Amino acid sequence: MPLFLPHFNLQKFNTLAVPSLAQYFVSVKTDDELREALAFARTENLPLLLLGGGSNIVLRADFPGLVVQIKSQGREVVDENEEFVWLKVAAGENWHQLVVFSLDNALYGLENLSLIPGSVGAAPIQNIGAYGVEIKELVAELSALNIRSGLSVTFTNESCQFGYRDSIFKQSLKDQYVITSVTFRLRKQPHLNLTYPALRAALANTLEEDITPQQVSAAVIDIRQTKLPDPAVIPNVGSFFKNPVINQQQFDALKAENPTIVSYPAAANQVKLAAGWLIDQAGWKGREVGGAAVHEQQALVLTNPRKSSGQAVLALADLIKQSVFEQFGVMLEMEPRIYP
Ligand code: EPU
């Protein structure tokens, strides 16, 4: 039986370092312990918060329910052929440790996703992506427990319905499953993605055919460390907003007024904007309001340097949304999830 801890302070369990008390907290290492935790929540009629690395949540108050920290560990090769290895990884494993492990074992594909905070089980929920690669390109399938029935289900890559910062677990199956393991299809031979301009620029001194995945990983780590605050030093949850997608007509009008606007192609007749650019242009970079701040090197990242409340961070996020909307007519959507 896992240990249910009452009145548990979550400050060290969310990377925004917000102080918030959970009514109960439990750490689970196996599927059986997870089932027991879910049964406890059901019997006591407690709302649930499933916690991985706590790097994508904002706690706006105390949590009147059960927080379940997924701590399952393990990595196992489940299949291979000439080209690929299928590696099954427990949800509680740390994401970056997995990237390091894959490179140490000559398994390739994860290198662009180096140093992303969080756990393996949380990664598919928002289809983490950085420097030209999204996790959806590497997930073969995943296992998840149905919260109501306790039954384990396999989701193929296709049935996860991955999109930009999105999956079925944020849409129609929101709060219905707990991801318990993810099976990655990794390559035995390097197959680099150097499409992100700053990444290619960081490796400009090396001929493309000589670049190794280890070098890509090191370059990504370097870029991240210059642009993004280390959550262990300055509390943050990475990008606070998604990059908004607008239609071509609205984009043309914006571009006419803002010739330097940063954009990327999206689906047909749609354009993705850099939210960081919009927030930066609206004058927010480096500003601090009520204890929360906008990161000096990347305006898309809100920080909580004084370990203030989640309310302080959300209040700043609202001001930013309003001002970007007033200036550009674009509504930003928050990326982290708010609890309770
Ligand atoms: N920009 C500014 N000012 C800023 C920030 C950005 O002008 O303060 C401009 C940059 O110059 C660049 C553009 O906006 O032209 C885009 O910036 P960047 O390349 O840093 O990437 P992003 O679109 O802001 C996304 C992800 C990041 C990921 C990077 C790199 C989202 C919401 N965020 O950011 O993800 O690391 O691309 O691929 O899609 C995260 O999720 O926590 C995260 C950091």
Side-chain angles (χ1 to χ4, degrees), residues 126 129-132 164-165 196 224 227-228 237-239 241-243 262 264 274-277 280-281 285 297-301 335:
Q126 66 152 338
Y131 309 104
Y164 167 64
R165 307 267 146 162
Y196 186 83
R224 289 189 74 97
K227 276 197 186 180
L228 301 170
V237 287
S239 304
F241 300 98
K242 290 193 199 180
N243 284 333
V262 179
Y264 315 94
W277 186 90
D280 191 354
Q281 293 294 308
K285 209 177 210 169
Q297 279 74 36
Q298 166 48 297
L300 191 52
V301 177
E335 193 175 90

PDB file of all heavy atoms in Angstrom, residues 126 129-132 164-165 196 224 227-228 237-239 241-243 262 264 274-277 280-281 285 297-301 335, ligand 1:
ATOM      1  N   GLN A 126       1.594  16.735 -24.256  1.00  0.00           N
ATOM      2  CA  GLN A 126       1.623  17.963 -25.066  1.00  0.00           C
ATOM      3  C   GLN A 126       2.577  17.832 -26.252  1.00  0.00           C
ATOM      4  O   GLN A 126       2.962  18.831 -26.837  1.00  0.00           O
ATOM      5  CB  GLN A 126       1.957  19.172 -24.204  1.00  0.00           C
ATOM      6  CG  GLN A 126       3.343  19.171 -23.625  1.00  0.00           C
ATOM      7  CD  GLN A 126       3.841  20.590 -23.396  1.00  0.00           C
ATOM      8  OE1 GLN A 126       3.369  21.531 -24.000  1.00  0.00           O
ATOM      9  NE2 GLN A 126       4.815  20.740 -22.513  1.00  0.00           N
ATOM     10  N   GLY A 129       8.224  19.474 -28.071  1.00  0.00           N
ATOM     11  CA  GLY A 129       8.978  19.710 -29.298  1.00  0.00           C
ATOM     12  C   GLY A 129       9.954  20.845 -29.113  1.00  0.00           C
ATOM     13  O   GLY A 129       9.697  21.775 -28.348  1.00  0.00           O
ATOM     14  N   ALA A 130      11.082  20.738 -29.787  1.00  0.00           N
ATOM     15  CA  ALA A 130      12.076  21.814 -29.734  1.00  0.00           C
ATOM     16  C   ALA A 130      13.099  21.611 -30.839  1.00  0.00           C
ATOM     17  O   ALA A 130      13.407  20.482 -31.214  1.00  0.00           O
ATOM     18  CB  ALA A 130      12.787  21.856 -28.377  1.00  0.00           C
ATOM     19  N   TYR A 131      13.615  22.730 -31.348  1.00  0.00           N
ATOM     20  CA  TYR A 131      14.719  22.724 -32.317  1.00  0.00           C
ATOM     21  C   TYR A 131      14.471  21.780 -33.490  1.00  0.00           C
ATOM     22  O   TYR A 131      15.335  21.017 -33.909  1.00  0.00           O
ATOM     23  CB  TYR A 131      16.063  22.473 -31.579  1.00  0.00           C
ATOM     24  CG  TYR A 131      16.167  23.443 -30.435  1.00  0.00           C
ATOM     25  CD1 TYR A 131      15.947  23.045 -29.119  1.00  0.00           C
ATOM     26  CD2 TYR A 131      16.346  24.792 -30.694  1.00  0.00           C
ATOM     27  CE1 TYR A 131      15.935  23.971 -28.080  1.00  0.00           C
ATOM     28  CE2 TYR A 131      16.327  25.723 -29.666  1.00  0.00           C
ATOM     29  CZ  TYR A 131      16.126  25.312 -28.373  1.00  0.00           C
ATOM     30  OH  TYR A 131      16.082  26.227 -27.362  1.00  0.00           O
ATOM     31  N   GLY A 132      13.227  21.848 -33.997  1.00  0.00           N
ATOM     32  CA  GLY A 132      12.905  21.153 -35.242  1.00  0.00           C
ATOM     33  C   GLY A 132      12.314  19.759 -35.091  1.00  0.00           C
ATOM     34  O   GLY A 132      11.930  19.151 -36.084  1.00  0.00           O
ATOM     35  N   TYR A 164       0.479  20.169 -32.790  1.00  0.00           N
ATOM     36  CA  TYR A 164       1.409  21.114 -32.166  1.00  0.00           C
ATOM     37  C   TYR A 164       1.024  21.325 -30.703  1.00  0.00           C
ATOM     38  O   TYR A 164      -0.075  21.783 -30.417  1.00  0.00           O
ATOM     39  CB  TYR A 164       1.406  22.452 -32.941  1.00  0.00           C
ATOM     40  CG  TYR A 164       2.080  23.576 -32.196  1.00  0.00           C
ATOM     41  CD1 TYR A 164       3.449  23.515 -31.907  1.00  0.00           C
ATOM     42  CD2 TYR A 164       1.371  24.676 -31.744  1.00  0.00           C
ATOM     43  CE1 TYR A 164       4.070  24.528 -31.195  1.00  0.00           C
ATOM     44  CE2 TYR A 164       1.981  25.702 -31.052  1.00  0.00           C
ATOM     45  CZ  TYR A 164       3.329  25.613 -30.772  1.00  0.00           C
ATOM     46  OH  TYR A 164       3.941  26.621 -30.055  1.00  0.00           O
ATOM     47  N   ARG A 165       1.881  20.922 -29.808  1.00  0.00           N
ATOM     48  CA  ARG A 165       1.641  21.016 -28.348  1.00  0.00           C
ATOM     49  C   ARG A 165       0.301  20.399 -27.976  1.00  0.00           C
ATOM     50  O   ARG A 165      -0.427  20.944 -27.133  1.00  0.00           O
ATOM     51  CB  ARG A 165       1.674  22.474 -27.883  1.00  0.00           C
ATOM     52  CG  ARG A 165       2.904  23.227 -28.268  1.00  0.00           C
ATOM     53  CD  ARG A 165       3.959  23.179 -27.211  1.00  0.00           C
ATOM     54  NE  ARG A 165       5.264  23.159 -27.836  1.00  0.00           N
ATOM     55  CZ  ARG A 165       6.401  23.447 -27.248  1.00  0.00           C
ATOM     56  NH1 ARG A 165       6.400  23.772 -25.986  1.00  0.00           N
ATOM     57  NH2 ARG A 165       7.540  23.372 -27.863  1.00  0.00           N
ATOM     58  N   TYR A 196      16.477  23.807 -37.662  1.00  0.00           N
ATOM     59  CA  TYR A 196      16.342  25.007 -36.828  1.00  0.00           C
ATOM     60  C   TYR A 196      17.589  25.875 -37.044  1.00  0.00           C
ATOM     61  O   TYR A 196      18.715  25.441 -36.750  1.00  0.00           O
ATOM     62  CB  TYR A 196      16.210  24.583 -35.369  1.00  0.00           C
ATOM     63  CG  TYR A 196      15.928  25.708 -34.398  1.00  0.00           C
ATOM     64  CD1 TYR A 196      14.626  26.174 -34.199  1.00  0.00           C
ATOM     65  CD2 TYR A 196      16.950  26.303 -33.675  1.00  0.00           C
ATOM     66  CE1 TYR A 196      14.365  27.187 -33.296  1.00  0.00           C
ATOM     67  CE2 TYR A 196      16.690  27.316 -32.768  1.00  0.00           C
ATOM     68  CZ  TYR A 196      15.396  27.758 -32.580  1.00  0.00           C
ATOM     69  OH  TYR A 196      15.137  28.760 -31.693  1.00  0.00           O
ATOM     70  N   ARG A 224      19.790  26.245 -25.209  1.00  0.00           N
ATOM     71  CA  ARG A 224      18.789  26.320 -24.135  1.00  0.00           C
ATOM     72  C   ARG A 224      19.345  27.070 -22.936  1.00  0.00           C
ATOM     73  O   ARG A 224      18.647  27.865 -22.314  1.00  0.00           O
ATOM     74  CB  ARG A 224      18.336  24.916 -23.708  1.00  0.00           C
ATOM     75  CG  ARG A 224      17.486  24.195 -24.728  1.00  0.00           C
ATOM     76  CD  ARG A 224      16.893  22.925 -24.144  1.00  0.00           C
ATOM     77  NE  ARG A 224      15.808  23.213 -23.227  1.00  0.00           N
ATOM     78  CZ  ARG A 224      14.521  23.192 -23.561  1.00  0.00           C
ATOM     79  NH1 ARG A 224      14.148  22.875 -24.773  1.00  0.00           N
ATOM     80  NH2 ARG A 224      13.596  23.483 -22.673  1.00  0.00           N
ATOM     81  N   LYS A 227      19.274  30.818 -23.551  1.00  0.00           N
ATOM     82  CA  LYS A 227      17.967  31.468 -23.711  1.00  0.00           C
ATOM     83  C   LYS A 227      16.987  31.219 -22.578  1.00  0.00           C
ATOM     84  O   LYS A 227      16.135  32.047 -22.291  1.00  0.00           O
ATOM     85  CB  LYS A 227      17.298  30.935 -24.988  1.00  0.00           C
ATOM     86  CG  LYS A 227      17.714  31.607 -26.253  1.00  0.00           C
ATOM     87  CD  LYS A 227      16.678  31.253 -27.315  1.00  0.00           C
ATOM     88  CE  LYS A 227      17.069  31.771 -28.667  1.00  0.00           C
ATOM     89  NZ  LYS A 227      16.062  31.427 -29.661  1.00  0.00           N
ATOM     90  N   LEU A 228      17.066  30.007 -22.020  1.00  0.00           N
ATOM     91  CA  LEU A 228      16.009  29.592 -21.093  1.00  0.00           C
ATOM     92  C   LEU A 228      16.544  29.484 -19.670  1.00  0.00           C
ATOM     93  O   LEU A 228      17.642  28.965 -19.458  1.00  0.00           O
ATOM     94  CB  LEU A 228      15.442  28.235 -21.535  1.00  0.00           C
ATOM     95  CG  LEU A 228      14.839  28.209 -22.942  1.00  0.00           C
ATOM     96  CD1 LEU A 228      14.538  26.788 -23.381  1.00  0.00           C
ATOM     97  CD2 LEU A 228      13.575  29.057 -22.989  1.00  0.00           C
ATOM     98  N   VAL A 237       8.162  27.466 -15.952  1.00  0.00           N
ATOM     99  CA  VAL A 237       7.607  26.260 -16.600  1.00  0.00           C
ATOM    100  C   VAL A 237       7.865  26.281 -18.110  1.00  0.00           C
ATOM    101  O   VAL A 237       7.063  25.767 -18.898  1.00  0.00           O
ATOM    102  CB  VAL A 237       6.089  26.083 -16.333  1.00  0.00           C
ATOM    103  CG1 VAL A 237       5.839  25.636 -14.906  1.00  0.00           C
ATOM    104  CG2 VAL A 237       5.312  27.359 -16.642  1.00  0.00           C
ATOM    105  N   GLY A 238       8.966  26.887 -18.524  1.00  0.00           N
ATOM    106  CA  GLY A 238       9.256  26.963 -19.961  1.00  0.00           C
ATOM    107  C   GLY A 238       8.279  27.912 -20.640  1.00  0.00           C
ATOM    108  O   GLY A 238       7.787  28.869 -20.016  1.00  0.00           O
ATOM    109  N   SER A 239       7.974  27.629 -21.905  1.00  0.00           N
ATOM    110  CA  SER A 239       7.032  28.485 -22.637  1.00  0.00           C
ATOM    111  C   SER A 239       5.737  28.595 -21.852  1.00  0.00           C
ATOM    112  O   SER A 239       5.129  27.581 -21.507  1.00  0.00           O
ATOM    113  CB  SER A 239       6.699  27.886 -23.996  1.00  0.00           C
ATOM    114  OG  SER A 239       7.853  27.666 -24.745  1.00  0.00           O
ATOM    115  N   PHE A 241       3.105  30.347 -23.082  1.00  0.00           N
ATOM    116  CA  PHE A 241       2.028  30.398 -24.069  1.00  0.00           C
ATOM    117  C   PHE A 241       2.406  29.531 -25.265  1.00  0.00           C
ATOM    118  O   PHE A 241       3.582  29.312 -25.535  1.00  0.00           O
ATOM    119  CB  PHE A 241       1.800  31.840 -24.549  1.00  0.00           C
ATOM    120  CG  PHE A 241       1.427  32.789 -23.441  1.00  0.00           C
ATOM    121  CD1 PHE A 241       2.382  33.604 -22.853  1.00  0.00           C
ATOM    122  CD2 PHE A 241       0.122  32.852 -22.969  1.00  0.00           C
ATOM    123  CE1 PHE A 241       2.045  34.472 -21.816  1.00  0.00           C
ATOM    124  CE2 PHE A 241      -0.224  33.720 -21.943  1.00  0.00           C
ATOM    125  CZ  PHE A 241       0.742  34.538 -21.364  1.00  0.00           C
ATOM    126  N   LYS A 242       1.386  29.089 -25.992  1.00  0.00           N
ATOM    127  CA  LYS A 242       1.635  28.406 -27.263  1.00  0.00           C
ATOM    128  C   LYS A 242       1.909  29.464 -28.321  1.00  0.00           C
ATOM    129  O   LYS A 242       1.428  30.601 -28.206  1.00  0.00           O
ATOM    130  CB  LYS A 242       0.385  27.649 -27.697  1.00  0.00           C
ATOM    131  CG  LYS A 242       0.051  26.449 -26.875  1.00  0.00           C
ATOM    132  CD  LYS A 242      -1.005  25.701 -27.668  1.00  0.00           C
ATOM    133  CE  LYS A 242      -1.795  24.737 -26.885  1.00  0.00           C
ATOM    134  NZ  LYS A 242      -2.781  24.049 -27.705  1.00  0.00           N
ATOM    135  N   ASN A 243       2.591  29.098 -29.370  1.00  0.00           N
ATOM    136  CA  ASN A 243       2.703  29.993 -30.519  1.00  0.00           C
ATOM    137  C   ASN A 243       1.354  29.996 -31.230  1.00  0.00           C
ATOM    138  O   ASN A 243       0.871  28.940 -31.649  1.00  0.00           O
ATOM    139  CB  ASN A 243       3.823  29.526 -31.445  1.00  0.00           C
ATOM    140  CG  ASN A 243       5.201  29.867 -30.899  1.00  0.00           C
ATOM    141  OD1 ASN A 243       5.357  30.830 -30.133  1.00  0.00           O
ATOM    142  ND2 ASN A 243       6.203  29.093 -31.263  1.00  0.00           N
ATOM    143  N   VAL A 262       7.652  37.673 -36.753  1.00  0.00           N
ATOM    144  CA  VAL A 262       8.231  36.336 -36.964  1.00  0.00           C
ATOM    145  C   VAL A 262       7.092  35.338 -37.170  1.00  0.00           C
ATOM    146  O   VAL A 262       6.152  35.282 -36.370  1.00  0.00           O
ATOM    147  CB  VAL A 262       9.092  35.897 -35.760  1.00  0.00           C
ATOM    148  CG1 VAL A 262       9.662  34.512 -35.994  1.00  0.00           C
ATOM    149  CG2 VAL A 262      10.214  36.902 -35.509  1.00  0.00           C
ATOM    150  N   TYR A 264       5.874  31.261 -39.043  1.00  0.00           N
ATOM    151  CA  TYR A 264       6.237  29.956 -39.617  1.00  0.00           C
ATOM    152  C   TYR A 264       5.039  29.433 -40.395  1.00  0.00           C
ATOM    153  O   TYR A 264       3.898  29.690 -40.001  1.00  0.00           O
ATOM    154  CB  TYR A 264       6.576  28.946 -38.515  1.00  0.00           C
ATOM    155  CG  TYR A 264       7.474  29.477 -37.438  1.00  0.00           C
ATOM    156  CD1 TYR A 264       6.939  30.012 -36.257  1.00  0.00           C
ATOM    157  CD2 TYR A 264       8.856  29.472 -37.590  1.00  0.00           C
ATOM    158  CE1 TYR A 264       7.766  30.521 -35.264  1.00  0.00           C
ATOM    159  CE2 TYR A 264       9.683  29.977 -36.606  1.00  0.00           C
ATOM    160  CZ  TYR A 264       9.130  30.497 -35.442  1.00  0.00           C
ATOM    161  OH  TYR A 264       9.951  31.001 -34.475  1.00  0.00           O
ATOM    162  N   ALA A 274       5.336  33.708 -33.660  1.00  0.00           N
ATOM    163  CA  ALA A 274       6.170  33.498 -32.468  1.00  0.00           C
ATOM    164  C   ALA A 274       5.597  34.341 -31.337  1.00  0.00           C
ATOM    165  O   ALA A 274       5.701  35.572 -31.352  1.00  0.00           O
ATOM    166  CB  ALA A 274       7.610  33.894 -32.760  1.00  0.00           C
ATOM    167  N   ALA A 275       4.987  33.668 -30.361  1.00  0.00           N
ATOM    168  CA  ALA A 275       4.390  34.396 -29.234  1.00  0.00           C
ATOM    169  C   ALA A 275       5.457  35.214 -28.515  1.00  0.00           C
ATOM    170  O   ALA A 275       5.182  36.328 -28.045  1.00  0.00           O
ATOM    171  CB  ALA A 275       3.728  33.409 -28.272  1.00  0.00           C
ATOM    172  N   GLY A 276       6.683  34.677 -28.437  1.00  0.00           N
ATOM    173  CA  GLY A 276       7.774  35.404 -27.773  1.00  0.00           C
ATOM    174  C   GLY A 276       8.028  36.747 -28.430  1.00  0.00           C
ATOM    175  O   GLY A 276       8.258  37.762 -27.751  1.00  0.00           O
ATOM    176  N   TRP A 277       7.955  36.774 -29.737  1.00  0.00           N
ATOM    177  CA  TRP A 277       8.159  38.032 -30.476  1.00  0.00           C
ATOM    178  C   TRP A 277       7.044  39.023 -30.133  1.00  0.00           C
ATOM    179  O   TRP A 277       7.293  40.204 -29.872  1.00  0.00           O
ATOM    180  CB  TRP A 277       8.212  37.750 -31.983  1.00  0.00           C
ATOM    181  CG  TRP A 277       8.549  38.942 -32.816  1.00  0.00           C
ATOM    182  CD1 TRP A 277       9.799  39.351 -33.199  1.00  0.00           C
ATOM    183  CD2 TRP A 277       7.623  39.907 -33.366  1.00  0.00           C
ATOM    184  NE1 TRP A 277       9.705  40.497 -33.956  1.00  0.00           N
ATOM    185  CE2 TRP A 277       8.378  40.864 -34.072  1.00  0.00           C
ATOM    186  CE3 TRP A 277       6.237  40.041 -33.323  1.00  0.00           C
ATOM    187  CZ2 TRP A 277       7.795  41.946 -34.737  1.00  0.00           C
ATOM    188  CZ3 TRP A 277       5.649  41.128 -33.974  1.00  0.00           C
ATOM    189  CH2 TRP A 277       6.434  42.063 -34.679  1.00  0.00           C
ATOM    190  N   ASP A 280       7.498  40.299 -26.604  1.00  0.00           N
ATOM    191  CA  ASP A 280       8.683  41.149 -26.614  1.00  0.00           C
ATOM    192  C   ASP A 280       8.325  42.527 -27.190  1.00  0.00           C
ATOM    193  O   ASP A 280       8.586  43.581 -26.586  1.00  0.00           O
ATOM    194  CB  ASP A 280       9.749  40.437 -27.477  1.00  0.00           C
ATOM    195  CG  ASP A 280      11.119  41.062 -27.383  1.00  0.00           C
ATOM    196  OD1 ASP A 280      11.240  42.114 -26.733  1.00  0.00           O
ATOM    197  OD2 ASP A 280      12.055  40.494 -27.973  1.00  0.00           O
ATOM    198  N   GLN A 281       7.670  42.540 -28.361  1.00  0.00           N
ATOM    199  CA  GLN A 281       7.292  43.796 -29.018  1.00  0.00           C
ATOM    200  C   GLN A 281       6.323  44.609 -28.165  1.00  0.00           C
ATOM    201  O   GLN A 281       6.299  45.831 -28.235  1.00  0.00           O
ATOM    202  CB  GLN A 281       6.624  43.510 -30.371  1.00  0.00           C
ATOM    203  CG  GLN A 281       7.547  42.906 -31.394  1.00  0.00           C
ATOM    204  CD  GLN A 281       8.652  43.864 -31.813  1.00  0.00           C
ATOM    205  OE1 GLN A 281       8.392  44.996 -32.194  1.00  0.00           O
ATOM    206  NE2 GLN A 281       9.893  43.415 -31.714  1.00  0.00           N
ATOM    207  N   LYS A 285       9.460  42.175 -22.051  1.00  0.00           N
ATOM    208  CA  LYS A 285      10.700  41.458 -21.730  1.00  0.00           C
ATOM    209  C   LYS A 285      11.388  42.049 -20.493  1.00  0.00           C
ATOM    210  O   LYS A 285      11.584  43.259 -20.417  1.00  0.00           O
ATOM    211  CB  LYS A 285      11.638  41.549 -22.925  1.00  0.00           C
ATOM    212  CG  LYS A 285      12.559  40.383 -23.052  1.00  0.00           C
ATOM    213  CD  LYS A 285      13.384  40.539 -24.294  1.00  0.00           C
ATOM    214  CE  LYS A 285      13.763  39.215 -24.871  1.00  0.00           C
ATOM    215  NZ  LYS A 285      14.331  39.349 -26.194  1.00  0.00           N
ATOM    216  N   GLN A 297      15.837  36.897 -21.512  1.00  0.00           N
ATOM    217  CA  GLN A 297      16.364  36.362 -22.776  1.00  0.00           C
ATOM    218  C   GLN A 297      15.290  35.753 -23.680  1.00  0.00           C
ATOM    219  O   GLN A 297      15.576  35.422 -24.825  1.00  0.00           O
ATOM    220  CB  GLN A 297      17.427  35.277 -22.505  1.00  0.00           C
ATOM    221  CG  GLN A 297      18.807  35.804 -22.173  1.00  0.00           C
ATOM    222  CD  GLN A 297      18.875  36.372 -20.774  1.00  0.00           C
ATOM    223  OE1 GLN A 297      18.245  35.861 -19.860  1.00  0.00           O
ATOM    224  NE2 GLN A 297      19.597  37.454 -20.618  1.00  0.00           N
ATOM    225  N   GLN A 298      14.086  35.549 -23.162  1.00  0.00           N
ATOM    226  CA  GLN A 298      13.036  34.888 -23.966  1.00  0.00           C
ATOM    227  C   GLN A 298      11.694  35.255 -23.344  1.00  0.00           C
ATOM    228  O   GLN A 298      11.308  34.743 -22.302  1.00  0.00           O
ATOM    229  CB  GLN A 298      13.332  33.378 -23.977  1.00  0.00           C
ATOM    230  CG  GLN A 298      12.290  32.389 -24.447  1.00  0.00           C
ATOM    231  CD  GLN A 298      11.596  32.688 -25.743  1.00  0.00           C
ATOM    232  OE1 GLN A 298      10.897  33.697 -25.870  1.00  0.00           O
ATOM    233  NE2 GLN A 298      11.717  31.786 -26.717  1.00  0.00           N
ATOM    234  N   ALA A 299      10.986  36.171 -24.018  1.00  0.00           N
ATOM    235  CA  ALA A 299       9.761  36.739 -23.448  1.00  0.00           C
ATOM    236  C   ALA A 299       8.616  35.732 -23.325  1.00  0.00           C
ATOM    237  O   ALA A 299       7.612  35.997 -22.676  1.00  0.00           O
ATOM    238  CB  ALA A 299       9.309  37.938 -24.288  1.00  0.00           C
ATOM    239  N   LEU A 300       8.787  34.555 -23.941  1.00  0.00           N
ATOM    240  CA  LEU A 300       7.747  33.529 -23.863  1.00  0.00           C
ATOM    241  C   LEU A 300       7.753  32.808 -22.506  1.00  0.00           C
ATOM    242  O   LEU A 300       6.816  32.099 -22.163  1.00  0.00           O
ATOM    243  CB  LEU A 300       7.989  32.515 -24.993  1.00  0.00           C
ATOM    244  CG  LEU A 300       6.918  31.496 -25.310  1.00  0.00           C
ATOM    245  CD1 LEU A 300       5.577  32.169 -25.528  1.00  0.00           C
ATOM    246  CD2 LEU A 300       7.303  30.712 -26.548  1.00  0.00           C
ATOM    247  N   VAL A 301       8.821  33.028 -21.758  1.00  0.00           N
ATOM    248  CA  VAL A 301       8.973  32.323 -20.487  1.00  0.00           C
ATOM    249  C   VAL A 301       8.685  33.270 -19.319  1.00  0.00           C
ATOM    250  O   VAL A 301       9.346  34.300 -19.168  1.00  0.00           O
ATOM    251  CB  VAL A 301      10.407  31.760 -20.363  1.00  0.00           C
ATOM    252  CG1 VAL A 301      10.609  31.080 -19.008  1.00  0.00           C
ATOM    253  CG2 VAL A 301      10.683  30.769 -21.494  1.00  0.00           C
ATOM    254  N   GLU A 335       0.020  27.617 -22.077  1.00  0.00           N
ATOM    255  CA  GLU A 335       0.462  26.243 -22.296  1.00  0.00           C
ATOM    256  C   GLU A 335       0.360  25.382 -21.034  1.00  0.00           C
ATOM    257  O   GLU A 335      -0.178  24.275 -21.096  1.00  0.00           O
ATOM    258  CB  GLU A 335       1.889  26.250 -22.831  1.00  0.00           C
ATOM    259  CG  GLU A 335       2.277  24.899 -23.352  1.00  0.00           C
ATOM    260  CD  GLU A 335       3.641  24.915 -23.994  1.00  0.00           C
ATOM    261  OE1 GLU A 335       4.622  24.691 -23.289  1.00  0.00           O
ATOM    262  OE2 GLU A 335       3.703  25.145 -25.202  1.00  0.00           O
TER     263      GLU A 335
HETATM  264  N1  EPU B   1      11.631  36.098 -30.152  1.00  0.00           N
HETATM  265  C1  EPU B   1      11.757  37.432 -29.885  1.00  0.00           C
HETATM  266  N2  EPU B   1      11.774  37.834 -28.587  1.00  0.00           N
HETATM  267  C2  EPU B   1      11.674  36.972 -27.564  1.00  0.00           C
HETATM  268  C3  EPU B   1      11.542  35.607 -27.841  1.00  0.00           C
HETATM  269  C4  EPU B   1      11.525  35.184 -29.154  1.00  0.00           C
HETATM  270  O1  EPU B   1      11.841  38.265 -30.781  1.00  0.00           O
HETATM  271  O2  EPU B   1      11.692  37.417 -26.415  1.00  0.00           O
HETATM  272  C5  EPU B   1      11.695  35.645 -31.552  1.00  0.00           C
HETATM  273  C6  EPU B   1      13.025  34.952 -31.820  1.00  0.00           C
HETATM  274  O3  EPU B   1      14.002  35.849 -32.235  1.00  0.00           O
HETATM  275  C7  EPU B   1      12.669  33.972 -32.907  1.00  0.00           C
HETATM  276  C8  EPU B   1      11.217  33.638 -32.614  1.00  0.00           C
HETATM  277  O4  EPU B   1      10.712  34.647 -31.750  1.00  0.00           O
HETATM  278  O5  EPU B   1      12.726  34.602 -34.168  1.00  0.00           O
HETATM  279  C9  EPU B   1      11.050  32.271 -32.003  1.00  0.00           C
HETATM  280  O6  EPU B   1      11.814  32.147 -30.818  1.00  0.00           O
HETATM  281  P1  EPU B   1      12.508  30.744 -30.429  1.00  0.00           P
HETATM  282  O7  EPU B   1      13.231  30.196 -31.578  1.00  0.00           O
HETATM  283  O8  EPU B   1      13.235  30.969 -29.142  1.00  0.00           O
HETATM  284  O9  EPU B   1      11.336  29.725 -30.207  1.00  0.00           O
HETATM  285  P2  EPU B   1       9.835  29.886 -29.696  1.00  0.00           P
HETATM  286  O10 EPU B   1       8.924  29.755 -30.852  1.00  0.00           O
HETATM  287  O11 EPU B   1       9.730  31.095 -28.846  1.00  0.00           O
HETATM  288  C10 EPU B   1       9.442  27.321 -29.347  1.00  0.00           C
HETATM  289  C11 EPU B   1       9.002  26.408 -28.253  1.00  0.00           C
HETATM  290  C12 EPU B   1      10.138  26.213 -27.251  1.00  0.00           C
HETATM  291  C13 EPU B   1      11.317  25.591 -27.978  1.00  0.00           C
HETATM  292  C14 EPU B   1      11.719  26.550 -29.117  1.00  0.00           C
HETATM  293  C15 EPU B   1      12.830  25.992 -29.968  1.00  0.00           C
HETATM  294  C16 EPU B   1       6.616  26.845 -28.117  1.00  0.00           C
HETATM  295  C17 EPU B   1       5.490  27.387 -27.320  1.00  0.00           C
HETATM  296  N3  EPU B   1       7.836  26.964 -27.589  1.00  0.00           N
HETATM  297  O12 EPU B   1       9.694  28.584 -28.761  1.00  0.00           O
HETATM  298  O13 EPU B   1       9.697  25.316 -26.248  1.00  0.00           O
HETATM  299  O14 EPU B   1      12.403  25.385 -27.110  1.00  0.00           O
HETATM  300  O15 EPU B   1      10.585  26.787 -29.982  1.00  0.00           O
HETATM  301  O16 EPU B   1      12.333  25.015 -30.809  1.00  0.00           O
HETATM  302  O17 EPU B   1       6.386  26.290 -29.192  1.00  0.00           O
HETATM  303  C18 EPU B   1       8.942  25.021 -24.002  1.00  0.00           C
HETATM  304  O18 EPU B   1       7.991  24.424 -24.455  1.00  0.00           O
HETATM  305  O19 EPU B   1       9.057  25.207 -22.776  1.00  0.00           O
HETATM  306  C19 EPU B   1       9.926  25.580 -24.907  1.00  0.00           C
HETATM  307  C20 EPU B   1      10.930  26.318 -24.448  1.00  0.00           C
END
